[in-house]
mmCIF file of all heavy atoms in Angstrom:
data_model
loop_
_atom_site.group_PDB
_atom_site.id
_atom_site.type_symbol
_atom_site.label_atom_id
_atom_site.label_comp_id
_atom_site.label_asym_id
_atom_site.label_seq_id
_atom_site.Cartn_x
_atom_site.Cartn_y
_atom_site.Cartn_z
ATOM 1 N N PHE A 1 161.631 100.410 164.018
ATOM 2 C CA PHE A 1 162.994 100.379 164.528
ATOM 3 C C PHE A 1 163.274 99.168 165.405
ATOM 4 O O PHE A 1 164.436 98.871 165.686
ATOM 5 C CB PHE A 1 163.307 101.694 165.234
ATOM 6 C CG PHE A 1 163.463 102.825 164.270
ATOM 7 C CD1 PHE A 1 162.450 103.756 164.094
ATOM 8 C CD2 PHE A 1 164.599 102.925 163.492
ATOM 9 C CE1 PHE A 1 162.579 104.779 163.179
ATOM 10 C CE2 PHE A 1 164.745 103.947 162.571
ATOM 11 C CZ PHE A 1 163.734 104.873 162.408
ATOM 12 N N VAL A 2 162.249 98.473 165.838
ATOM 13 C CA VAL A 2 162.479 97.146 166.422
ATOM 14 C C VAL A 2 163.147 96.269 165.365
ATOM 15 O O VAL A 2 164.153 95.589 165.621
ATOM 16 C CB VAL A 2 161.160 96.512 166.903
ATOM 17 C CG1 VAL A 2 161.384 95.034 167.246
ATOM 18 C CG2 VAL A 2 160.621 97.241 168.118
ATOM 19 N N LEU A 3 162.601 96.283 164.164
ATOM 20 C CA LEU A 3 163.132 95.461 163.080
ATOM 21 C C LEU A 3 164.518 95.936 162.646
ATOM 22 O O LEU A 3 165.406 95.126 162.354
ATOM 23 C CB LEU A 3 162.165 95.484 161.897
ATOM 24 C CG LEU A 3 160.754 94.957 162.198
ATOM 25 C CD1 LEU A 3 159.874 95.051 160.967
ATOM 26 C CD2 LEU A 3 160.801 93.520 162.703
ATOM 27 N N VAL A 4 164.734 97.263 162.604
ATOM 28 C CA VAL A 4 166.049 97.790 162.250
ATOM 29 C C VAL A 4 167.101 97.342 163.257
ATOM 30 O O VAL A 4 168.193 96.880 162.891
ATOM 31 C CB VAL A 4 166.009 99.336 162.177
ATOM 32 C CG1 VAL A 4 167.426 99.913 162.086
ATOM 33 C CG2 VAL A 4 165.174 99.796 160.993
ATOM 34 N N ASN A 5 166.775 97.452 164.537
ATOM 35 C CA ASN A 5 167.720 97.066 165.580
ATOM 36 C C ASN A 5 168.049 95.572 165.512
ATOM 37 O O ASN A 5 169.208 95.163 165.655
ATOM 38 C CB ASN A 5 167.131 97.411 166.956
ATOM 39 C CG ASN A 5 168.179 97.853 167.938
ATOM 40 O OD1 ASN A 5 169.054 98.637 167.599
ATOM 41 N ND2 ASN A 5 168.112 97.361 169.164
ATOM 42 N N LEU A 6 167.029 94.759 165.261
ATOM 43 C CA LEU A 6 167.249 93.318 165.160
ATOM 44 C C LEU A 6 168.098 92.980 163.936
ATOM 45 O O LEU A 6 168.914 92.046 163.979
ATOM 46 C CB LEU A 6 165.909 92.586 165.088
ATOM 47 C CG LEU A 6 165.009 92.702 166.326
ATOM 48 C CD1 LEU A 6 163.754 91.861 166.148
ATOM 49 C CD2 LEU A 6 165.746 92.282 167.588
ATOM 50 N N ALA A 7 167.925 93.725 162.858
ATOM 51 C CA ALA A 7 168.732 93.475 161.660
ATOM 52 C C ALA A 7 170.212 93.746 161.926
ATOM 53 O O ALA A 7 171.083 92.956 161.533
ATOM 54 C CB ALA A 7 168.227 94.343 160.505
ATOM 55 N N PHE A 8 170.515 94.869 162.612
ATOM 56 C CA PHE A 8 171.907 95.161 162.969
ATOM 57 C C PHE A 8 172.487 94.047 163.853
ATOM 58 O O PHE A 8 173.629 93.612 163.667
ATOM 59 C CB PHE A 8 172.002 96.497 163.700
ATOM 60 C CG PHE A 8 171.954 97.696 162.810
ATOM 61 C CD1 PHE A 8 171.064 98.734 163.056
ATOM 62 C CD2 PHE A 8 172.813 97.821 161.731
ATOM 63 C CE1 PHE A 8 171.015 99.844 162.229
ATOM 64 C CE2 PHE A 8 172.784 98.934 160.907
ATOM 65 C CZ PHE A 8 171.876 99.954 161.156
ATOM 66 N N ALA A 9 171.703 93.594 164.824
ATOM 67 C CA ALA A 9 172.175 92.549 165.728
ATOM 68 C C ALA A 9 172.451 91.249 164.978
ATOM 69 O O ALA A 9 173.465 90.573 165.223
ATOM 70 C CB ALA A 9 171.139 92.309 166.830
ATOM 71 N N LEU A 10 171.570 90.893 164.059
ATOM 72 C CA LEU A 10 171.749 89.655 163.298
ATOM 73 C C LEU A 10 173.007 89.711 162.448
ATOM 74 O O LEU A 10 173.743 88.716 162.328
ATOM 75 C CB LEU A 10 170.510 89.410 162.423
ATOM 76 C CG LEU A 10 170.473 88.086 161.637
ATOM 77 C CD1 LEU A 10 170.576 86.899 162.583
ATOM 78 C CD2 LEU A 10 169.201 87.998 160.811
ATOM 79 N N ILE A 11 173.287 90.877 161.867
ATOM 80 C CA ILE A 11 174.514 91.033 161.073
ATOM 81 C C ILE A 11 175.746 90.813 161.944
ATOM 82 O O ILE A 11 176.702 90.126 161.544
ATOM 83 C CB ILE A 11 174.553 92.430 160.428
ATOM 84 C CG1 ILE A 11 173.478 92.539 159.338
ATOM 85 C CG2 ILE A 11 175.938 92.717 159.839
ATOM 86 C CD1 ILE A 11 173.278 93.952 158.823
ATOM 87 N N LEU A 12 175.740 91.379 163.155
ATOM 88 C CA LEU A 12 176.874 91.181 164.063
ATOM 89 C C LEU A 12 177.038 89.711 164.448
ATOM 90 O O LEU A 12 178.159 89.206 164.528
ATOM 91 C CB LEU A 12 176.691 92.026 165.328
ATOM 92 C CG LEU A 12 177.090 93.492 165.266
ATOM 93 C CD1 LEU A 12 176.832 94.157 166.602
ATOM 94 C CD2 LEU A 12 178.552 93.644 164.886
ATOM 95 N N MET A 13 175.926 89.038 164.696
ATOM 96 C CA MET A 13 176.010 87.620 165.050
ATOM 97 C C MET A 13 176.596 86.799 163.912
ATOM 98 O O MET A 13 177.470 85.949 164.118
ATOM 99 C CB MET A 13 174.629 87.094 165.434
ATOM 100 C CG MET A 13 174.165 87.521 166.813
ATOM 101 S SD MET A 13 172.629 86.712 167.320
ATOM 102 C CE MET A 13 171.411 87.812 166.595
ATOM 103 N N GLU A 14 176.120 87.043 162.705
ATOM 104 C CA GLU A 14 176.622 86.288 161.565
ATOM 105 C C GLU A 14 178.095 86.597 161.304
ATOM 106 O O GLU A 14 178.812 85.789 160.715
ATOM 107 C CB GLU A 14 175.792 86.604 160.316
ATOM 108 C CG GLU A 14 174.316 86.204 160.411
ATOM 109 C CD GLU A 14 174.089 84.698 160.458
ATOM 110 O OE1 GLU A 14 175.068 83.941 160.279
ATOM 111 O OE2 GLU A 14 172.936 84.276 160.684
ATOM 112 N N ALA A 15 178.557 87.760 161.759
ATOM 113 C CA ALA A 15 179.974 88.128 161.618
ATOM 114 C C ALA A 15 180.835 87.538 162.736
ATOM 115 O O ALA A 15 182.029 87.833 162.822
ATOM 116 C CB ALA A 15 180.127 89.644 161.594
ATOM 117 N N ASP A 16 180.215 86.742 163.622
ATOM 118 C CA ASP A 16 180.927 86.057 164.711
ATOM 119 C C ASP A 16 181.571 87.035 165.682
ATOM 120 O O ASP A 16 182.756 86.948 166.000
ATOM 121 C CB ASP A 16 181.989 85.104 164.147
ATOM 122 C CG ASP A 16 182.568 84.186 165.223
ATOM 123 O OD1 ASP A 16 181.875 83.953 166.241
ATOM 124 O OD2 ASP A 16 183.709 83.715 165.054
ATOM 125 N N MET A 17 180.759 87.989 166.158
ATOM 126 C CA MET A 17 181.276 88.985 167.087
ATOM 127 C C MET A 17 181.766 88.373 168.389
ATOM 128 O O MET A 17 182.607 88.954 169.075
ATOM 129 C CB MET A 17 180.203 90.029 167.397
ATOM 130 C CG MET A 17 179.051 89.539 168.250
ATOM 131 S SD MET A 17 178.173 90.868 169.098
ATOM 132 C CE MET A 17 179.351 91.321 170.342
ATOM 133 N N PHE A 18 181.268 87.195 168.750
ATOM 134 C CA PHE A 18 181.657 86.579 170.020
ATOM 135 C C PHE A 18 183.158 86.314 170.074
ATOM 136 O O PHE A 18 183.757 86.353 171.148
ATOM 137 C CB PHE A 18 180.882 85.271 170.214
ATOM 138 C CG PHE A 18 180.874 84.781 171.631
ATOM 139 C CD1 PHE A 18 179.920 85.236 172.529
ATOM 140 C CD2 PHE A 18 181.833 83.887 172.082
ATOM 141 C CE1 PHE A 18 179.919 84.796 173.847
ATOM 142 C CE2 PHE A 18 181.832 83.446 173.397
ATOM 143 C CZ PHE A 18 180.876 83.900 174.271
ATOM 144 N N SER A 19 183.766 86.081 168.903
ATOM 145 C CA SER A 19 185.187 85.739 168.887
ATOM 146 C C SER A 19 186.084 86.940 169.183
ATOM 147 O O SER A 19 187.242 86.773 169.542
ATOM 148 C CB SER A 19 185.565 85.140 167.527
ATOM 149 O OG SER A 19 185.364 86.087 166.489
ATOM 150 N N PHE A 20 185.567 88.170 169.011
ATOM 151 C CA PHE A 20 186.377 89.351 169.348
ATOM 152 C C PHE A 20 185.597 90.270 170.290
ATOM 153 O O PHE A 20 185.654 91.492 170.193
ATOM 154 C CB PHE A 20 186.832 90.091 168.090
ATOM 155 C CG PHE A 20 185.749 90.360 167.074
ATOM 156 C CD1 PHE A 20 185.065 91.561 167.058
ATOM 157 C CD2 PHE A 20 185.427 89.404 166.124
ATOM 158 C CE1 PHE A 20 184.081 91.819 166.125
ATOM 159 C CE2 PHE A 20 184.445 89.643 165.175
ATOM 160 C CZ PHE A 20 183.764 90.858 165.180
ATOM 161 N N LEU A 21 184.904 89.651 171.236
ATOM 162 C CA LEU A 21 184.012 90.358 172.154
ATOM 163 C C LEU A 21 184.718 91.437 172.961
ATOM 164 O O LEU A 21 184.283 92.594 172.996
ATOM 165 C CB LEU A 21 183.354 89.338 173.100
ATOM 166 C CG LEU A 21 182.556 89.906 174.278
ATOM 167 C CD1 LEU A 21 181.352 90.681 173.766
ATOM 168 C CD2 LEU A 21 182.132 88.785 175.205
ATOM 169 N N ASN A 22 185.805 91.080 173.641
ATOM 170 C CA ASN A 22 186.443 92.044 174.543
ATOM 171 C C ASN A 22 186.978 93.261 173.809
ATOM 172 O O ASN A 22 186.989 94.374 174.342
ATOM 173 C CB ASN A 22 187.574 91.357 175.324
ATOM 174 C CG ASN A 22 187.036 90.562 176.506
ATOM 175 O OD1 ASN A 22 185.828 90.434 176.674
ATOM 176 N ND2 ASN A 22 187.934 90.007 177.302
ATOM 177 N N SER A 23 187.414 93.090 172.559
ATOM 178 C CA SER A 23 187.902 94.234 171.777
ATOM 179 C C SER A 23 186.765 95.202 171.470
ATOM 180 O O SER A 23 186.927 96.423 171.566
ATOM 181 C CB SER A 23 188.543 93.747 170.467
ATOM 182 O OG SER A 23 189.669 92.948 170.737
ATOM 183 N N ILE A 24 185.598 94.665 171.105
ATOM 184 C CA ILE A 24 184.436 95.508 170.825
ATOM 185 C C ILE A 24 184.025 96.275 172.071
ATOM 186 O O ILE A 24 183.796 97.488 172.040
ATOM 187 C CB ILE A 24 183.247 94.657 170.315
ATOM 188 C CG1 ILE A 24 183.553 94.088 168.926
ATOM 189 C CG2 ILE A 24 181.961 95.493 170.258
ATOM 190 C CD1 ILE A 24 182.465 93.185 168.397
ATOM 191 N N LEU A 25 183.928 95.551 173.192
ATOM 192 C CA LEU A 25 183.452 96.176 174.418
ATOM 193 C C LEU A 25 184.458 97.189 174.967
ATOM 194 O O LEU A 25 184.071 98.229 175.504
ATOM 195 C CB LEU A 25 183.154 95.112 175.471
ATOM 196 C CG LEU A 25 182.052 94.104 175.097
ATOM 197 C CD1 LEU A 25 181.786 93.160 176.269
ATOM 198 C CD2 LEU A 25 180.777 94.806 174.680
ATOM 199 N N GLY A 26 185.743 96.894 174.852
ATOM 200 C CA GLY A 26 186.759 97.832 175.325
ATOM 201 C C GLY A 26 186.710 99.148 174.572
ATOM 202 O O GLY A 26 186.833 100.230 175.160
ATOM 203 N N PHE A 27 186.522 99.079 173.249
ATOM 204 C CA PHE A 27 186.395 100.295 172.437
ATOM 205 C C PHE A 27 185.106 101.039 172.781
ATOM 206 O O PHE A 27 185.100 102.250 173.008
ATOM 207 C CB PHE A 27 186.417 99.927 170.953
ATOM 208 C CG PHE A 27 185.852 100.989 170.060
ATOM 209 C CD1 PHE A 27 186.561 102.151 169.815
ATOM 210 C CD2 PHE A 27 184.609 100.838 169.479
ATOM 211 C CE1 PHE A 27 186.044 103.147 169.000
ATOM 212 C CE2 PHE A 27 184.082 101.824 168.659
ATOM 213 C CZ PHE A 27 184.799 102.984 168.421
ATOM 214 N N TYR A 28 184.001 100.310 172.837
ATOM 215 C CA TYR A 28 182.701 100.946 173.057
ATOM 216 C C TYR A 28 182.627 101.632 174.420
ATOM 217 O O TYR A 28 181.984 102.670 174.566
ATOM 218 C CB TYR A 28 181.584 99.908 172.949
ATOM 219 C CG TYR A 28 180.224 100.484 173.236
ATOM 220 C CD1 TYR A 28 179.524 101.167 172.247
ATOM 221 C CD2 TYR A 28 179.654 100.390 174.498
ATOM 222 C CE1 TYR A 28 178.285 101.732 172.510
ATOM 223 C CE2 TYR A 28 178.417 100.956 174.775
ATOM 224 C CZ TYR A 28 177.744 101.620 173.768
ATOM 225 O OH TYR A 28 176.526 102.186 174.041
ATOM 226 N N SER A 29 183.289 101.055 175.412
ATOM 227 C CA SER A 29 183.176 101.587 176.773
ATOM 228 C C SER A 29 183.646 103.029 176.862
ATOM 229 O O SER A 29 183.127 103.802 177.673
ATOM 230 C CB SER A 29 183.959 100.720 177.760
ATOM 231 O OG SER A 29 185.360 100.833 177.551
ATOM 232 N N ASN A 30 184.593 103.431 176.025
ATOM 233 C CA ASN A 30 185.081 104.809 176.080
ATOM 234 C C ASN A 30 183.983 105.807 175.733
ATOM 235 O O ASN A 30 183.837 106.848 176.376
ATOM 236 C CB ASN A 30 186.274 104.974 175.133
ATOM 237 C CG ASN A 30 187.481 104.190 175.587
ATOM 238 O OD1 ASN A 30 188.131 104.529 176.562
ATOM 239 N ND2 ASN A 30 187.779 103.114 174.879
ATOM 240 N N CYS A 31 183.182 105.490 174.710
ATOM 241 C CA CYS A 31 182.062 106.365 174.345
ATOM 242 C C CYS A 31 180.990 106.357 175.422
ATOM 243 O O CYS A 31 180.444 107.405 175.794
ATOM 244 C CB CYS A 31 181.465 105.907 173.018
ATOM 245 S SG CYS A 31 182.585 106.025 171.612
ATOM 246 N N ALA A 32 180.668 105.174 175.920
ATOM 247 C CA ALA A 32 179.602 105.053 176.917
ATOM 248 C C ALA A 32 179.961 105.774 178.210
ATOM 249 O O ALA A 32 179.125 106.467 178.810
ATOM 250 C CB ALA A 32 179.313 103.576 177.193
ATOM 251 N N ILE A 33 181.202 105.619 178.654
ATOM 252 C CA ILE A 33 181.643 106.284 179.890
ATOM 253 C C ILE A 33 181.561 107.798 179.730
ATOM 254 O O ILE A 33 181.057 108.510 180.608
ATOM 255 C CB ILE A 33 183.087 105.869 180.244
ATOM 256 C CG1 ILE A 33 183.144 104.382 180.610
ATOM 257 C CG2 ILE A 33 183.627 106.712 181.398
ATOM 258 C CD1 ILE A 33 184.558 103.827 180.643
ATOM 259 N N ALA A 34 182.061 108.317 178.597
ATOM 260 C CA ALA A 34 182.053 109.764 178.369
ATOM 261 C C ALA A 34 180.635 110.316 178.417
ATOM 262 O O ALA A 34 180.382 111.374 179.016
ATOM 263 C CB ALA A 34 182.705 110.080 177.025
ATOM 264 N N TRP A 35 179.694 109.623 177.818
ATOM 265 C CA TRP A 35 178.297 110.071 177.789
ATOM 266 C C TRP A 35 177.665 110.053 179.178
ATOM 267 O O TRP A 35 177.144 111.063 179.664
ATOM 268 C CB TRP A 35 177.511 109.182 176.827
ATOM 269 C CG TRP A 35 176.021 109.335 176.906
ATOM 270 C CD1 TRP A 35 175.313 110.478 177.164
ATOM 271 C CD2 TRP A 35 175.050 108.305 176.741
ATOM 272 N NE1 TRP A 35 173.953 110.212 177.159
ATOM 273 C CE2 TRP A 35 173.774 108.886 176.898
ATOM 274 C CE3 TRP A 35 175.138 106.942 176.463
ATOM 275 C CZ2 TRP A 35 172.590 108.144 176.797
ATOM 276 C CZ3 TRP A 35 173.965 106.205 176.339
ATOM 277 C CH2 TRP A 35 172.713 106.817 176.509
ATOM 278 N N ILE A 36 177.723 108.907 179.845
ATOM 279 C CA ILE A 36 177.039 108.756 181.134
ATOM 280 C C ILE A 36 177.643 109.682 182.190
ATOM 281 O O ILE A 36 176.919 110.319 182.969
ATOM 282 C CB ILE A 36 177.081 107.294 181.610
ATOM 283 C CG1 ILE A 36 176.335 106.383 180.610
ATOM 284 C CG2 ILE A 36 176.481 107.157 182.998
ATOM 285 C CD1 ILE A 36 174.872 106.720 180.438
ATOM 286 N N VAL A 37 178.973 109.782 182.225
ATOM 287 C CA VAL A 37 179.618 110.649 183.219
ATOM 288 C C VAL A 37 179.277 112.109 182.946
ATOM 289 O O VAL A 37 179.053 112.891 183.882
ATOM 290 C CB VAL A 37 181.144 110.427 183.233
ATOM 291 C CG1 VAL A 37 181.832 111.461 184.123
ATOM 292 C CG2 VAL A 37 181.474 109.021 183.726
ATOM 293 N N THR A 38 179.191 112.495 181.677
ATOM 294 C CA THR A 38 178.828 113.879 181.352
ATOM 295 C C THR A 38 177.436 114.217 181.866
ATOM 296 O O THR A 38 177.223 115.253 182.512
ATOM 297 C CB THR A 38 178.886 114.098 179.824
ATOM 298 O OG1 THR A 38 180.238 113.941 179.370
ATOM 299 C CG2 THR A 38 178.405 115.500 179.462
ATOM 300 N N VAL A 39 176.462 113.364 181.602
ATOM 301 C CA VAL A 39 175.084 113.631 182.033
ATOM 302 C C VAL A 39 174.974 113.584 183.553
ATOM 303 O O VAL A 39 174.336 114.444 184.175
ATOM 304 C CB VAL A 39 174.107 112.627 181.382
ATOM 305 C CG1 VAL A 39 172.684 112.861 181.883
ATOM 306 C CG2 VAL A 39 174.148 112.750 179.862
ATOM 307 N N ALA A 40 175.594 112.583 184.173
ATOM 308 C CA ALA A 40 175.538 112.472 185.631
ATOM 309 C C ALA A 40 176.195 113.680 186.296
ATOM 310 O O ALA A 40 175.693 114.200 187.307
ATOM 311 C CB ALA A 40 176.217 111.172 186.088
ATOM 312 N N THR A 41 177.311 114.159 185.740
ATOM 313 C CA THR A 41 177.990 115.324 186.301
ATOM 314 C C THR A 41 177.145 116.578 186.134
ATOM 315 O O THR A 41 177.093 117.435 187.036
ATOM 316 C CB THR A 41 179.356 115.519 185.627
ATOM 317 O OG1 THR A 41 180.142 114.339 185.795
ATOM 318 C CG2 THR A 41 180.094 116.703 186.220
ATOM 319 N N ASP A 42 176.480 116.701 184.994
ATOM 320 C CA ASP A 42 175.628 117.873 184.786
ATOM 321 C C ASP A 42 174.515 117.916 185.841
ATOM 322 O O ASP A 42 174.195 118.987 186.363
ATOM 323 C CB ASP A 42 175.010 117.849 183.387
ATOM 324 C CG ASP A 42 174.330 119.169 183.053
ATOM 325 O OD1 ASP A 42 175.019 120.084 182.607
ATOM 326 O OD2 ASP A 42 173.102 119.271 183.263
ATOM 327 N N ILE A 43 173.955 116.748 186.158
ATOM 328 C CA ILE A 43 172.886 116.712 187.159
ATOM 329 C C ILE A 43 173.442 117.013 188.553
ATOM 330 O O ILE A 43 172.938 117.875 189.276
ATOM 331 C CB ILE A 43 172.172 115.350 187.132
ATOM 332 C CG1 ILE A 43 171.411 115.172 185.812
ATOM 333 C CG2 ILE A 43 171.199 115.234 188.311
ATOM 334 C CD1 ILE A 43 170.817 113.791 185.627
ATOM 335 N N MET A 44 174.487 116.295 188.926
ATOM 336 C CA MET A 44 175.000 116.414 190.297
ATOM 337 C C MET A 44 175.702 117.744 190.553
ATOM 338 O O MET A 44 175.515 118.349 191.615
ATOM 339 C CB MET A 44 175.963 115.252 190.589
ATOM 340 C CG MET A 44 175.303 113.884 190.666
ATOM 341 S SD MET A 44 176.450 112.569 191.191
ATOM 342 C CE MET A 44 177.566 112.491 189.793
ATOM 343 N N VAL A 45 176.507 118.195 189.600
ATOM 344 C CA VAL A 45 177.336 119.382 189.817
ATOM 345 C C VAL A 45 176.669 120.639 189.253
ATOM 346 O O VAL A 45 176.450 121.626 189.971
ATOM 347 C CB VAL A 45 178.734 119.189 189.196
ATOM 348 C CG1 VAL A 45 179.581 120.446 189.402
ATOM 349 C CG2 VAL A 45 179.424 117.974 189.816
ATOM 350 N N ASN A 46 176.344 120.605 187.967
ATOM 351 C CA ASN A 46 175.820 121.825 187.335
ATOM 352 C C ASN A 46 174.421 122.196 187.817
ATOM 353 O O ASN A 46 174.101 123.382 187.937
ATOM 354 C CB ASN A 46 175.814 121.672 185.813
ATOM 355 C CG ASN A 46 177.214 121.599 185.240
ATOM 356 O OD1 ASN A 46 178.192 121.769 185.951
ATOM 357 N ND2 ASN A 46 177.319 121.329 183.953
ATOM 358 N N LYS A 47 173.593 121.213 188.088
ATOM 359 C CA LYS A 47 172.222 121.505 188.521
ATOM 360 C C LYS A 47 172.155 121.788 190.024
ATOM 361 O O LYS A 47 171.533 122.758 190.456
ATOM 362 C CB LYS A 47 171.283 120.340 188.168
ATOM 363 C CG LYS A 47 171.028 120.155 186.679
ATOM 364 C CD LYS A 47 169.971 119.064 186.431
ATOM 365 C CE LYS A 47 169.813 118.748 184.955
ATOM 366 N NZ LYS A 47 169.349 119.872 184.159
#
């Protein structure tokens, strides 16, 4: 899976992801925030 992960990254680079960076990160942040806040809340509040 080191090789699998590197293959995905190389595909993104060749697709010139740098030119639409902020759009990718803005979309991704919604998933990341939901996940991290859920786990952190479970520890701090539920536990």
